[in-house]
Amino acid sequence: MAEKKTFAREDSVLSHPRLFFLAIVLSLIFMDPFHWSPVASRDYQPVKLDVAPYKQVMKSWRNDNQSRLRNARLQFAGEVFGPESIEFDREGRGPYTGLADGRVVRWMGETVGWETFAIVSTNWSEKECANGVNSTTQKQHPKERFCGRPLGLRFDKRTGDLYIADAYYGLMMVGPGGGVATSLASEVEGSPILFANDLDIHSNGSIFFTDTSTRYDRRNHVFILLEGEATGRLLRYDPTTKSTTVVVSGLTFANGVQISKDETFLLVAETTKCRIMRYWLEGQRAAQLELYANLPGFPDNVRINDKGNFWVAIDCCRTRTLEVFSHYPWMRNIYFRLPLKLNILGKMVGMKMYTVIALFDIGGNAIDVLEDRRGEIIRLVSEVREVNGKLWIGTVAHNHVATFSYS
């Protein structure tokens, strides 16, 4: 009798092949024994995100119907690799930029070209770190912690010193003559600075800079976006006491930093939540954090122009599917466990990134927007720097700088 019962149970399973197949698929998704999904071997913990509705944002958003960034000019193609941030020294020389191979380089004119100005690690060697156009590919990822990855750059125009936010080595500084950068801050209040990203310098000498996440480093930054985790921080380095303190915690992908012209507030980008926040430095609202602007896409660096307005680099745009995902983390938990590559999963939810750069006034109003909707010239923009009627546009992922005449 026992043998007959066994056969009966087996027959009942095989009589529902669709359920059996569904059970197998679900087990593969959640157990992922072959590590095929983008979050394989990760402690993936997606959370609910408070993101402004896309329709609401676009209702008041300015569009560039002429897609003016198509008229931008690509420069230094194949000569610079992932030029995230663009800077000029107090003599106006430059541009300077940080590369994916761990160097900070500067342009010395057509005759000399680019020269290495600084490195962030004494471990740096040309053989190990200088990988040319491959520096912006995954081939470089295992070497980043060794070679460094300089991101945000700022010159102190009073001293000529260059301050660097390096993704792995933290806040650093190198003198006007360049060389090997000195570490200023690699930890704060007992915890490591895991992903230093951008910075700005106050007139009192304080350095405000971001630590994007205390959970993931730059190499694994995509998981910050997929999870929506909020462990990012705005930090302050005091050169007098040589101490670092946490100014704001709980930011979602803390990114670009810019102090206002009158130094009453600073702006900090929250990339995952597609918004810019304002932190008040002075006045009745000092130490308060408030919304400055909601955006249609994912912001990177913020830079001020001579008029006191702010350029924001935006990788656009959010989709309705991503908006639904932001409210329902259980959906992301299932979707990103599918055994498909991340770029395929992105295309399946309608993600087609293109470049938007927007100019904001001090009130958080967009006063101009430039786009390259088809990605004909510029993709994955990281920073916009306005100098003498020209926009210098950096990109963390490609091997060129773009320029655009703007007046």
Side-chain angles (χ1 to χ4, degrees), residues 274 332 395:
C274 301
R332 302 206 305 280
T395 170

Side-chain angles (χ1 to χ4, degrees), residues 10-82:
E10 290 175 353
D11 184 63
S12 67
V13 173
L14 295 175
S15 65
H16 298 87
R18 290 181 180 177
L19 290 176
F20 179 72
F21 178 73
L22 180 61
I24 294 296
V25 171
L26 289 175
S27 66
L28 286 173
I29 290 174
F30 287 103
M31 297 178 66
D32 196 13
F34 302 109
H35 304 292
W36 288 338
S37 81
V39 296
S41 304
R42 300 282 175 183
D43 181 22
Y44 182 52
Q45 300 176 18
V47 298
K48 184 176 180 179
L49 288 169
D50 177 23
V51 182
Y54 184 69
K55 284 186 177 180
Q56 176 184 315
V57 174
M58 294 308 295
K59 191 177 292 185
S60 59
W61 186 254
R62 301 169 64 103
N63 288 314
D64 177 14
N65 295 323
Q66 296 178 332
S67 199
R68 287 178 288 167
L69 280 182
R70 291 182 305 167
N71 299 317
R73 178 187 173 198
L74 291 187
Q75 295 188 248
F76 314 121
E79 299 178 30
V80 289
F81 319 112

Side-chain angles (χ1 to χ4, degrees), residues 20 43 49 110-111 142 153 159 169 171 226 228 246 257 288 294 365 375 379 384 393:
F20 179 72
D43 181 22
L49 288 169
E110 294 290 345
T111 303
L153 303 180
T159 64
Y169 290 94
L171 181 64
L226 295 185
V246 177
V257 183
Q288 292 183 21
N294 284 311
N365 305 299
R379 292 182 182 178
V384 184
I393 304 169

Side-chain angles (χ1 to χ4, degrees), residues 322-337:
L322 289 177
E323 190 166 314
V324 172
F325 275 5
S326 69
H327 296 303
Y328 300 101
W330 64 267
M331 288 186 177
R332 302 206 305 280
N333 202 13
I334 294 174
Y335 187 74
F336 290 110
R337 291 186 189 277

Side-chain angles (χ1 to χ4, degrees), residues 169-171 183-194 209 233 235 243-245:
Y169 290 94
L171 181 64
S183 176
L184 299 178
S186 58
E187 63 175 39
V188 55
E189 298 175 2
S191 68
I193 296 170
L194 195 61
F209 65 108
R233 302 178 290 186
L235 309 177
S243 62
T244 305
T245 54

Side-chain angles (χ1 to χ4, degrees), residues 211-216 224 228-233 249-254:
D211 182 17
T212 295
S213 171
T214 61
R215 185 168 162 80
Y216 294 105
I224 309 173
E229 61 95 29
T231 62
R233 302 178 290 186
S249 59
L251 298 173
T252 54
F253 206 119

